[in-house]
Amino acid sequence: MENLFEQALEKIVAEDHLHAKLLNTLSLMENVGARKISKYEHPVNVNLTILKHAAEEARHAFYLKKQIGKLGEDLCPDYNFEFLLAPVVSYQYLHQLDAKACRYLYNRGLKGRAMHDAAYILVTYAIEVRADSLYDIYQKVLTATDSKVNVKSIILEEAGHLEEMTRMLKKFDENWQPIAEDVCKIEDALHQQWVKGLAQTVGLN
């Protein structure tokens, strides 16, 4: 699947109007992530790590949106479907992961606030594992094509997020790894759908 993703990126990055839509799509997904973190916040018990993470996800959405300006003027002004790649799966990606993770935790006996807190940690962990790979592949293509766009700052911050979420998982459950692997499997299935959607956009699938 990584090969298909890289092939799709190569075709997308070669066309400024498609590349702008990709940046806009990634910006959307980062923005959805930031809003979901805020949704999961406890009304009172909010620590520095959660605030930092929410702020950085929102900054990533802004940064990606600003990068569009390097490709042309007045491209992708908002997140309407016409300005996105694979819009339906892109919109549904995090929402479905969230819902499926909550269902998984509910079936393990967690409910209410405990379920939401666990879902925040596990969903965020799965997303950070994905982001670590996704942005590395994207930057590889950007570098190879001498693109004006770069995502190096996001790569550094996502690596820090992954370390933070791993620490939170260890506090959540000593036997966290099998649980995290299950949620990552859920995420992987959704990611494959998303990559196939991107590939179809450029005639690869």
Side-chain angles (χ1 to χ4, degrees), residues 10-194:
E10 287 169 353
K11 286 184 172 289
I12 290 166
V13 169
E15 302 285 344
D16 284 349
H17 72 286
L18 289 177
H19 195 183
K21 287 184 177 183
L22 174 67
L23 284 165
N24 203 41
T25 302
L26 293 173
S27 176
L28 161 77
M29 295 167 85
E30 293 280 1
N31 191 43
V32 170
R35 286 189 280 118
K36 280 197 170 291
I37 292 169
S38 297
K39 169 194 161 188
Y40 275 126
E41 283 181 4
H42 190 277
V44 177
N45 300 325
V46 180
N47 61 36
L48 193 62
T49 297
I50 294 174
L51 288 173
K52 174 175 173 285
H53 193 190
E56 288 179 349
E57 293 299 297
R59 191 192 74 79
H60 294 171
F62 172 77
Y63 178 81
L64 291 162
K65 193 81 170 170
K66 286 281 287 183
Q67 294 282 298
I68 295 172
K70 294 180 178 181
L71 302 173
E73 296 182 2
D74 303 320
L75 295 171
C76 303
D78 54 44
Y79 294 140
N80 275 300
F81 274 21
E82 63 190 293
F83 305 122
L84 300 172
L85 296 182
V88 175
V89 289
S90 296
Y91 260 110
Q92 292 178 348
Y93 182 80
L94 274 174
H95 296 303
Q96 287 194 350
L97 178 57
D98 188 20
K100 289 174 183 289
C102 284
R103 191 176 304 119
Y104 168 82
L105 290 165
Y106 181 84
N107 290 337
R108 290 180 64 91
L110 288 180
K111 298 179 183 178
R113 188 73 233 177
M115 181 184 71
H116 286 298
D117 287 346
Y120 159 69
I121 298 169
L122 287 160
V123 167
T124 305
Y125 174 81
I127 290 299
E128 298 304 343
V129 169
R130 177 61 59 199
D132 192 50
S133 168
L134 183 151
Y135 284 115
D136 273 347
I137 295 170
Y138 184 24
Q139 184 58 53
K140 175 184 172 184
V141 173
L142 293 173
T143 301
T145 56
D146 292 321
S147 176
K148 298 175 184 177
V149 174
N150 83 81
V151 291
K152 292 176 183 177
S153 64
I154 294 180
I155 290 171
L156 289 173
E157 287 185 352
E158 295 291 12
H161 292 170
L162 185 55
E163 290 178 5
E164 289 165 354
M165 299 320 298
T166 301
R167 286 196 295 270
M168 292 178 74
L169 274 171
K170 289 177 180 177
K171 290 181 181 179
F172 159 66
D173 193 317
E174 291 181 359
N175 191 36
W176 66 273
Q177 288 175 309
I179 301 170
E181 285 172 5
D182 285 344
V183 175
C184 283
K185 286 177 184 176
I186 295 170
E187 186 281 331
D188 187 60
L190 295 170
H191 174 71
Q192 289 186 38
Q193 290 178 10
W194 183 70

